[in-house]
Amino acid sequence: MWRSSSSSATAIYSHKMETSTAMDVEEQPSPNPNSVKRFGLKNSIQTNFGDDYVFQIVPKDDWSAMAVSLSTNAVKLYSPVAGQYYGECKGHSSTINQILFSGPSNPHVLSSCSSDGTIRAWDTRTFQQVSTINAGSSQEVFSFSLGGPNGNLIAAGCKSKIQFWDWRNKKQIACLEDSHVEDVTQVHFVPDEQGKLISASEDGLICTFDTTGDINDDDHLESVINVGTSIAKVGFFGESYRKLWCLTHIETLGIWDWKDCRNEVNFSDARTLASESWNLDHVDYFVDCHYSREAEKLWVIGGTNAGALGYFPVNYSGVATIGAAEAILEGGHTSVIRSVLPMSRIHSGSANSPNHGHFGWTGGEDGRLCCWLSDDSTQINQSWISSTLIMKQERTRKKNRHHPY
């Protein structure tokens, strides 16, 4: 996926949007210099003044925009290619726990869920709220997913419950109360089987549901996987999306066949394995996993508290290993990185296209959005800074990285 390179990267960034400074990022020796790809910082955008930070970055289906959720309880939209600031969606009164675009059928609709107990939809052309679903006055919505057999369902993890609505009329159609006993951190409709829903929780369980017909705990719970510890994030990958990667709140990584409820590998020492494969600081946390269908390859993305990031290949067949970092992003962030948006889907542009050489974007607790390019890109020294100054927001209390809600 990334060719080898040994040239150093140049980083250009803005400090609170006041100055533009160029600095050389010293290249660290790699355990295998022929297998690592380093990326230079094209630019960074300070999303706010003060101590606010970035939670999540998601792309619009056609990559004409990316949405960024912030600890100010707002979502801002930018161009993923030019970095231009488009506007802001404001309305939530508490932490935004997840955002996603609705897809090609509603390309301009962005949805968000929050600890204020609501799921809101926004028109990204006007930045206005167009609909809201209220899960209840005492509820918090930690995750949600759009899908179902007919594509009309919204499923949401609301504390320990999973609630379902028909997004066409906003009516609640089901509530599963018995499957989990602690906060539901993830709900996902299976990409190629939209009638199947997978949920994951702080109780350590991953549940699979059939969402056809009248949904209930007794008849529609198909299987339960016990991971054994609080689950932070899960994602589908592999042929027919039958494999599931699972990151926990104690920074372990597991690979499961969710259809057979079979654990294929469990890396209880994942951070140690990743840390031993590079010469930077110890890997303190994992941000996400990334899967390439073309390469049939899975990476776990690990970071340091100082703001460095590495893509570590995961071998989950045969001898289970976490290999040496194949991509390193360093010199852009000064704190914990919360979200990574790879731009691999638009990497096929020509050498003269605006997005040629783009690796993607990262966001973190330093409030920065950083754009990364291949360090052999001709654009790396042609950095730009967003000219949009954002008004300083009222300082919000920081939340624990593992429990942003």
Side-chain angles (χ1 to χ4, degrees), residues 1-2 42 58-66 78-83 86 290 294 341-361 371-373 379:
M1 184 174 180
W2 299 292
K42 180 175 180 180
V58 299
K60 197 172 179 180
D61 196 64
D62 63 359
W63 287 88
S64 61
M66 63 181 181
Y78 299 86
S79 163
V81 175
Y86 290 148
H290 177 65
E294 294 77 13
L341 175 61
M343 294 175 70
S344 56
R345 283 181 54 186
I346 60 172
H347 276 168
S348 57
S350 68
N352 295 322
S353 68
N355 58 352
H356 177 69
H358 277 64
F359 174 81
W361 290 82
C371 179
W372 302 88
L373 289 94
Q379 296 186 58

Side-chain angles (χ1 to χ4, degrees), residues 304-330:
T304 71
N305 290 334
L309 199 72
Y311 268 60
F312 301 90
V314 180
N315 181 16
Y316 48 88
S317 58
V319 179
T321 59
I322 294 178
E326 294 183 353
I328 295 174
L329 287 68
E330 186 190 12

Side-chain angles (χ1 to χ4, degrees), residues 76-90:
K76 294 181 179 178
L77 288 104
Y78 299 86
S79 163
V81 175
Q84 178 185 355
Y85 172 68
Y86 290 148
E88 182 178 44
C89 300
K90 297 182 68 174

Side-chain angles (χ1 to χ4, degrees), residues 41 53-57 233 251 278 280 284-288 301-311 328-341 359-370 372 401-402:
L41 184 68
Y53 52 81
V54 175
F55 282 140
Q56 188 182 4
I57 313 169
K233 187 178 286 189
E251 310 297 353
W278 69 354
L280 299 182
D284 295 303
Y285 56 90
F286 293 114
V287 183
D288 210 337
I301 306 171
T304 71
N305 290 334
L309 199 72
Y311 268 60
I328 295 174
L329 287 68
E330 186 190 12
H333 289 284
T334 59
S335 187
V336 170
I337 297 170
R338 287 278 195 132
S339 186
V340 180
L341 175 61
F359 174 81
W361 290 82
T362 54
E365 295 186 5
D366 53 10
R368 289 178 179 171
L369 283 174
C370 293
W372 302 88
R401 189 188 76 83
H402 296 312

Side-chain angles (χ1 to χ4, degrees), residues 124-145:
T124 57
R125 295 166 296 187
T126 63
F127 312 107
Q128 298 300 307
Q129 180 179 308
V130 292
S131 69
T132 184
I133 290 174
N134 198 321
S137 58
S138 63
Q139 281 292 355
E140 296 181 69
V141 187
F142 299 135
S143 57
F144 72 107
S145 184

